[in-house]
């Protein structure tokens, strides 16, 4: 559909003074299940904890790039984005699932032709790889181990007139909200890529650049490409009587960790190729500030009415199959 009109133009404005191009949009919550097609492919109910999904409405244990592209609508605007995104479900003290209000997704990268592309990486800036699969955040295969390299997430209060400091646990963010209000979980996936669509641990094919005395981050030699970095921000409304809140991954395998400790997120790319190429070349490539699904060429992703509060905040978790 046509994008937003600004002073006679439907093309989004420059992202300056920021130095990266941005493409972002809002999703609503989708299905819940115990499936994980990255860690437990082909195993129905194979995950040891409950997942909340966004994006492709057919995402499940058997999902692959081919199945995502072949079917399903999307909770992220429409079926032009059949990618699948999933995170552990958020629970309250009574064992109810706290459904998210919305999910905000960002893709950001240096624009095409920026000299920093070849300073920060050996082979420069490229687009999101077709069929990319990746996990970010706490590694459930190393539960109970110290893993500071996987601290790619934070929590903060986003209620009006409240502190919005980043915290490592949910309890700290809720405290900033005065015991109730809207909090946000944010996680990023890194932008340095080694050229592979997956890896043995489903995460090491992407990593973050490191500052080594210079004013810009540098990718390791093993990861010579820069791709648009994916960031997911998930908003939840917390009530005073929710008590201790925790993600489903925080309470498993006999362990009880502070709420938020084991937060992580999974991503399987499933974009309509032409649509993905448009926002990559126009929004990111030309350093535009594309919001709400604007594609950078004067059009935007069509979507229905969007709410910023869960239709039903608390639900009973589904039974394990």
């Amino acid at each position: 559909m046509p994008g937003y009109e600004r002073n006679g133009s439907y093309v989004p404005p420059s992202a300056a003074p920021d130095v990266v191009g941005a493409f972002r949009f809002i999703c609503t919550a989708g299905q819940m299940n115990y499936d994980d097609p990255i860690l437990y492919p082909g195993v129905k109910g194979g995950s040891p904890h409950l997942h909340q999904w966004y994006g492709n409405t057919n995402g499940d244990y058997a999902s692959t790039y081919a199945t995502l592209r072949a079917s399903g609508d999307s909770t992220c605007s429409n079926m032009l984005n059949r990618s699948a995104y999933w995170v552990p479900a958020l629970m309250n003290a009574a064992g109810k699932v706290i459904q998210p209000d919305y999910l905000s997704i960002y893709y950001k990268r240096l624009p095409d032709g920026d000299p920093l592309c070849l300073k920060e990486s050996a082979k420069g800036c490229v687009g999101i790889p077709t069929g990319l699969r990746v996990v970010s955040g706490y590694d459930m295969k190393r539960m109970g181990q110290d893993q500071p390299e996987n601290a790619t997430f934070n929590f903060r209060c986003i209620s009006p007139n409240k502190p919005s400091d980043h915290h490592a646990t949910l309890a700290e963010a809720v405290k900033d909200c005065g015991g109730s209000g809207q909090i946000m979980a944010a996680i990023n996936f890194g932008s340095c890529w080694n050229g592979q669509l997956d890896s043995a641990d489903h995460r090491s094919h992407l990593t973050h650049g490191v500052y080594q005395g210079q004013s810009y981050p540098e990718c390791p030699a093993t990861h010579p490409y820069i791709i648009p970095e994916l960031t997911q921000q998930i908003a939840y409304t917390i009530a005073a009587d929710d008590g201790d809140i925790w993600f489903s991954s925080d309470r498993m395998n006999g362990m009880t960790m502070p709420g938020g400790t084991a937060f992580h997120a999974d991503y399987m790319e499933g974009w309509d190729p032409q649509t993905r190429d448009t926002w990559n070349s126009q929004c990111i490539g030309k350093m535009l500030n594309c919001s709400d699904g604007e594609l950078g060429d004067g059009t935007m992703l069509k979507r229905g009415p969007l709410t910023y509060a869960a239709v039903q905040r608390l639900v009973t978790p589904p039974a394990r199959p």
Side-chain angles (χ1 to χ4, degrees), residues 46-183:
S47 173
H49 57 268
L50 179 64
H51 282 127
Q52 172 68 68
W53 290 66
Y54 314 85
N56 196 306
T57 54
N58 284 353
D60 63 12
Y61 68 98
S63 290
T64 63
Y65 173 75
T67 66
L68 293 180
R69 290 296 313 130
S71 68
D73 206 330
S74 178
T75 70
C76 301
S77 298
N78 61 56
M79 64 179 64
L80 288 176
N81 182 10
R82 281 176 164 155
S83 300
Y85 313 81
W86 63 99
V87 296
L90 183 63
M91 319 293 293
N92 71 5
K96 295 287 188 179
V97 175
I98 302 174
Q99 293 203 109
D101 295 324
Y102 62 88
L103 173 76
S104 174
I105 291 183
Y106 290 69
Y107 295 89
K108 292 185 177 182
R109 198 206 66 197
L110 291 166
D112 294 343
D114 191 312
L116 281 176
C117 286
L118 288 172
K119 287 186 176 181
E120 294 186 10
S121 63
K123 296 185 178 180
C125 296
V126 297
I128 287 284
T130 299
L132 180 69
R133 302 150 51 93
V134 62
V135 183
S136 183
Y138 193 85
D139 188 348
M140 301 308 298
K141 298 290 188 180
R142 297 167 52 201
M143 197 165 184
Q145 299 179 22
D146 186 36
Q147 41 182 286
E149 73 280 9
N150 291 324
T152 57
F153 56 90
N154 61 73
F155 309 99
R156 68 184 190 275
C157 174
I158 57 172
S159 288
N161 304 315
K162 295 289 186 178
S164 192
D165 298 326
H166 292 184
H167 297 287
T169 67
L170 290 166
E172 293 170 310
V174 173
K175 182 179 179 181
D176 275 354
C177 278
S180 65
Q182 199 171 52
I183 64 168

Side-chain angles (χ1 to χ4, degrees), residues 36 38-40 48-49 51 88 134-153 187 199-204 249-250 252-253 255 257 260-266:
D36 189 330
I38 292 182
L39 267 68
Y40 305 97
H49 57 268
H51 282 127
V134 62
V135 183
S136 183
Y138 193 85
D139 188 348
M140 301 308 298
K141 298 290 188 180
R142 297 167 52 201
M143 197 165 184
Q145 299 179 22
D146 186 36
Q147 41 182 286
E149 73 280 9
N150 291 324
T152 57
F153 56 90
I187 187 166
S199 51
D201 62 1
H202 309 295
R203 55 182 69 225
S204 58
S249 53
D250 295 323
M252 51 174 280
N253 296 344
M255 299 190 69
M257 295 188 284
T261 301
F263 186 66
H264 56 280
D266 299 62

Side-chain angles (χ1 to χ4, degrees), residues 13 22 27 97 133 146 165 173 199 210 215 246 271 273 280 292:
C27 307
V97 175
R133 302 150 51 93
D146 186 36
D165 298 326
S199 51
V210 177
S215 60
W246 44 280
W271 277 93
N280 190 83
D292 202 21

